[in-house]
Amino acid sequence: MTDTDSASTPDADLVNALRALSNPMRLQMLRWLREPERHFPTDRAIADPAEVGVCVSHIQEKAGLAQSTVSAYLAELRRAGLVRATRVGKWTHYKRDERRIADLVSELGHAL
């Protein structure tokens, strides 16, 4: 490998984000969170979905997966910086990190 090859090696954060997005259900969850009022029951929300995010239980219900699986998927998206987690009482809510997603798109454009 030459020095120019190592200089063009993708950033580890970019690779982690792409890995998180490679799972179809994690990608779907991120899509749902783009428009939380459209995809989740606002009448049962204990916090504003647009402001705070969506409760894991509502995401789990929509996904039709075990709560532990949904939590693991959301944790992966959080580690990749694509969502932020906020505790409201005993419930964890997730919201997209729009700035990080925009940075990722830009970074991907430069990497490719």
Side-chain angles (χ1 to χ4, degrees), residues 2-58:
T2 66
D3 286 336
T4 56
D5 289 337
S6 64
S8 63
T9 301
D11 181 278
D13 289 340
L14 175 62
V15 172
N16 289 336
L18 292 174
R19 186 176 299 123
L21 295 173
S22 70
N23 176 287
M25 183 50 74
R26 286 192 298 257
L27 183 58
Q28 183 62 55
M29 289 176 183
L30 202 58
R31 286 181 184 144
W32 289 336
L33 291 172
R34 182 181 357 186
E35 299 177 279
E37 300 88 356
R38 179 176 168 210
H39 295 286
F40 298 100
T42 55
D43 59 321
R44 294 186 298 153
I46 61 169
D48 181 359
E51 194 67 31
V52 177
V54 178
C55 182
V56 171
S57 63
H58 292 156

Side-chain angles (χ1 to χ4, degrees), residues 36-101:
E37 300 88 356
R38 179 176 168 210
H39 295 286
F40 298 100
T42 55
D43 59 321
R44 294 186 298 153
I46 61 169
D48 181 359
E51 194 67 31
V52 177
V54 178
C55 182
V56 171
S57 63
H58 292 156
I59 299 169
Q60 184 261 324
E61 184 179 303
K62 184 164 182 81
L65 299 171
Q67 188 273 334
S68 59
T69 302
V70 170
S71 291
Y73 283 173
L74 290 165
E76 181 74 20
L77 291 170
R78 186 183 51 75
R79 281 191 298 275
L82 301 170
V83 297
R84 284 184 263 139
T86 302
R87 293 284 292 186
V88 178
K90 64 180 182 174
W91 295 277
T92 303
H93 290 64
Y94 286 88
K95 179 180 175 165
R96 288 167 48 114
D97 186 333
E98 296 298 343
R99 175 183 238 163
R100 172 65 180 126
I101 292 169

Side-chain angles (χ1 to χ4, degrees), residues 8 10 14 18 104-112:
S8 63
L14 175 62
L18 292 174
L104 173 65
V105 170
S106 175
E107 199 176 327
L108 188 57
H110 293 297
L112 298 178

